Amino acid sequence: MLVKTKAIVLSSLKFQEKSLIVKCFTLSHGLKSYFVRDAFSSRKANQKIAYFQPLTILEIEAVHKNKGTLENFKEIKIGSPFHSIHSDIYKSTIVMFISEMLHHSIHEEEKNEPLFTFLETAMHWLDNHDEIANFHLILLLETTKYLGFYPDISDMDMPFFEMNEGVFTPFHAISSLTEHESNLFKKLIDLKFDNNQKIFHVIERQIVLRILIDYYSFHLDGFRKPKSLDVLKEVFS
């Protein structure tokens, strides 16, 4: 089946000496993996590889056999070129981390247009703004809306956030955040991309990030902590 769709690159893995396996989140069919033969050997190798930078937004024409095997691109072009993301160390580090988080979080080979639209819009916001210290925190929390485990905020006046059920409670359980951690989490819930990015100190931001990663671990089977986490902490320390 020939498919034309937008796609967001989640990861690319070198295969043997010359080829790539590229995992994309597509607008039309959700998660798809593609085989790119001779990505490193043609005269246009640098251009080809540039297509598969983390979270690049592509417009693709591809052959989907839908048999659980690797699919094949027929045509690829940059759908929305970024101006600052890949040249700014802070933005590129955030993007590397987010792409790894999404790689371990999105598993469904089915259309999720709201999630795609949210991620596409968020990437354009990142590309066009400089105050970005909390961008990854807000994006990861908002993404849980589309993955099905956004916190229940109906009792946000309660002092403790219970991670397993995703609710605020009056009592502290084994899987609950401390009252201090819960208050930081409440701050995050109220944040939007355009809010004051200096609302958290460095240590507080690291605590909130750990909470988010633990929260993903509670709710996603087989979730793995991103290898790029240490790089992120280093750049933003």
Side-chain angles (χ1 to χ4, degrees), residues 33-83:
S33 294
Y34 299 90
F35 182 65
V36 184
R37 190 183 304 279
D38 297 334
F40 295 92
S41 60
S42 70
R43 283 181 301 165
K44 293 185 177 179
N46 289 338
Q47 181 183 345
K48 259 189 180 179
I49 295 163
Y51 290 146
F52 306 122
Q53 297 295 311
L55 301 189
T56 298
I57 300 168
L58 301 173
E59 289 182 8
I60 66 170
E61 193 172 310
V63 177
H64 286 181
K65 295 181 180 176
N66 297 318
K67 293 181 178 178
T69 55
L70 295 174
E71 313 290 14
N72 291 284
F73 293 117
K74 196 173 179 197
E75 286 189 26
I76 315 167
K77 65 179 182 179
I78 302 291
S80 304
F82 296 135
H83 305 291

Side-chain angles (χ1 to χ4, degrees), residues 84-96:
S84 65
I85 283 177
H86 297 308
S87 59
D88 182 302
I89 183 63
Y90 296 102
K91 292 183 181 183
S92 59
T93 302
I94 284 175
V95 163
M96 180 173 63

Side-chain angles (χ1 to χ4, degrees), residues 26 121 124 142 198 211:
T26 70
T121 303
H124 284 302
E142 289 294 307
K198 296 177 181 176
I211 290 169

